[in-house]
Amino acid sequence: MKLTGVEKCLFPGTLEEAAEILEHEGDNAAVVGGGLGIITARESAPGTLIFLEKIPLKYIKKEQNHLKVGARTSLSEFMNSPVLEKYLSGKVRSAMEGISTHLIRNQITLGGAVAGRAPYSDIVTLLMALRAKVVLRGQAGQKILSIDEYYGDFQDIRRQYIIEEIQLPEYEGDFAFAMERFTRNATDITLLNMAVLVKIEIGKVEEASVTVGSRPEPAYRFPEGEEFLKGKALSEDLARLFEDFVREKVDVRGDFRISEDYRRHVSGVFARRIVESLGGAS
Ligand SMILES: Cc1cc2nc3c(=O)[nH]c(=O)nc-3n(C[C@H](O)[C@H](O)[C@H](O)COP(=O)(O)OP(=O)(O)OC[C@H]3O[C@@H](n4cnc5c(N)ncnc54)[C@H](O)[C@@H]3O)c2cc1C
């Protein structure tokens, strides 16, 4: 924890004001969500911290075919919200229940998790698979990007925009979701995670979104995996074939925590389990 360089803690009353401070201070300022990423970062915190406490950004609502979640909503608040109970048959909630501990989940904010983009983040992997949208507010006004677009232009956007809201499309009917993560213990960082969303039409996968994170690089969409699943019926045979395919093609490498071979092996196991779970859900 290195907060010794902090000179100013500002509490703007509006997002516009916060965005103005961010743009004016440049790299010398950081927006504070739950603060966990900031206090555990290797580098020192910047001189100016921008707190969003005075801005009403803690909410979860259903509107226009989306779940809309304010950026300061904690992971616990989101998980425990009644709107998440039925969302994708409760599978998103159970995936979140596995993340770290109660104390940490009480502190993580959705906005901080997305903007922090920790390479091992389960939340980023999950939100990318769900094709979340990121609502941003800068001096130039509001803009809404898909989470892929947000990460596509990450460095520039982060300097100019504050995350106001995360939106999750409502998936009614024939959609199924499953996620797996692997960690040595509750407080250790995740060593690999994978999330898959599929749309089933007449017994076959019509659309798929497959994301893999903590590779150890940040989460990415795995388009070859998505193509592989399309047009196929979810079955035990498919689960075994997907296991082999993912193990061969997924983009992972080793680091000081685990070897590439081990990550590859676990990727295959996750791929099989996920197809089995999706098959059970469909
Ligand atoms: C011991 C421990 C274990 C953990 N285990 C896991 C795990 O297993 N899986 C997992 O997914 N996560 C885990 N986390 C959480 C993860 O590492 C990040 O710390 C967390 O997601 C950051 O959320 P935060 O709200 O605290 O962000 P902050 O630290 O407040 O912010 C992170 C970054 O985002 C920026 N930011 C914050 N809010 C906004 C906003 N509204 N707009 C623009 N920029 C913003 C900040 O300036 C900063 O750069 C763990 C954390 C700890 C401490």
Side-chain angles (χ1 to χ4, degrees):
M1 183 196 322
K2 293 181 217 109
L3 295 176
T4 46
V6 176
E7 290 162 355
K8 282 187 278 181
C9 291
L10 303 177
F11 291 79
T14 63
L15 275 170
E16 288 75 12
E17 208 186 312
E20 195 180 325
I21 300 168
L22 185 67
E23 203 150 346
H24 182 256
E25 298 264 342
D27 289 338
N28 189 40
V31 175
V32 182
L36 282 178
I38 294 173
I39 59 167
T40 53
R42 288 212 184 105
E43 63 275 13
S44 300
T48 302
L49 295 181
I50 307 169
F51 288 81
L52 303 177
E53 263 79 349
K54 289 194 176 162
I55 309 171
L57 292 176
K58 266 185 188 277
Y59 57 83
I60 303 150
K61 53 192 179 193
K62 255 172 135 173
E63 236 175 61
Q64 295 154 341
N65 305 327
H66 281 85
L67 299 190
K68 300 187 172 182
V69 189
R72 285 196 62 243
T73 308
S74 74
L75 192 58
S76 300
E77 286 162 340
F78 184 43
M79 277 168 45
N80 296 325
S81 136
V83 296
L84 213 60
E85 232 163 73
K86 293 202 183 112
Y87 186 72
L88 285 163
S89 311
K91 293 287 173 67
V92 172
R93 170 188 270 186
S94 19
M96 288 178 171
E97 272 166 0
I99 297 175
S100 198
T101 63
H102 279 289
L103 285 176
I104 302 277
R105 294 196 297 266
N106 288 347
Q107 197 62 26
I108 297 174
T109 63
L110 267 278
V114 171
R117 199 196 194 185
Y120 57 86
S121 172
D122 302 298
I123 302 160
V124 171
T125 300
L126 184 147
L127 293 177
M128 284 176 71
L130 294 177
R131 301 172 196 160
K133 292 178 191 159
V134 185
V135 181
L136 299 161
R137 191 73 74 103
Q139 276 190 287
Q142 191 191 61
K143 71 174 174 183
I144 304 181
L145 298 179
S146 73
I147 194 162
D148 293 344
E149 288 168 334
Y150 175 72
Y151 288 135
D153 205 4
F154 191 46
Q155 295 309 337
D156 277 351
I157 291 175
R158 262 178 65 133
R159 280 194 203 98
Q160 296 171 44
Y161 289 93
I162 291 180
I163 299 181
E164 177 176 351
E165 183 177 277
I166 306 297
Q167 298 186 347
L168 297 181
E170 286 224 48
Y171 293 109
E172 303 288 354
D174 300 326
F175 283 90
F177 173 82
M179 180 164 182
E180 292 280 334
R181 64 191 283 275
F182 162 53
T183 180
R184 289 172 293 198
N185 60 53
T187 49
D188 192 16
I189 67 165
T190 304
L191 299 173
L192 187 84
N193 56 39
M194 188 182 294
V196 178
L197 173 78
V198 288
K199 181 177 188 207
I200 311 290
E201 193 93 359
I202 325 174
K204 292 193 174 152
V205 174
E206 191 184 74
E207 279 174 47
S209 100
V210 180
T211 52
V212 185
S214 202
R215 318 172 280 126
E217 277 78 24
Y220 86 123
R221 285 283 289 273
F222 177 36
E224 299 93 330
E226 295 174 353
E227 278 308 311
F228 182 90
L229 290 175
K230 271 190 212 161
K232 300 193 172 109
L234 296 171
S235 64
E236 284 185 20
D237 281 349
L238 180 67
R240 278 191 294 274
L241 290 172
F242 195 46
E243 173 173 8
D244 294 341
F245 180 85
V246 169
R247 201 166 274 148
E248 191 191 326
K249 302 276 186 198
V250 73
D251 185 3
V252 294
R253 64 172 180 83
D255 62 358
F256 68 95
R257 291 193 171 84
I258 50 170
S259 66
E260 178 176 335
D261 279 355
Y262 194 47
R263 251 196 191 97
R264 236 167 238 297
H265 174 77
V266 177
S267 310
V269 174
F270 281 2
R272 173 171 47 76
R273 283 190 196 159
I274 284 175
V275 171
E276 285 167 356
S277 162
L278 295 170
S282 65

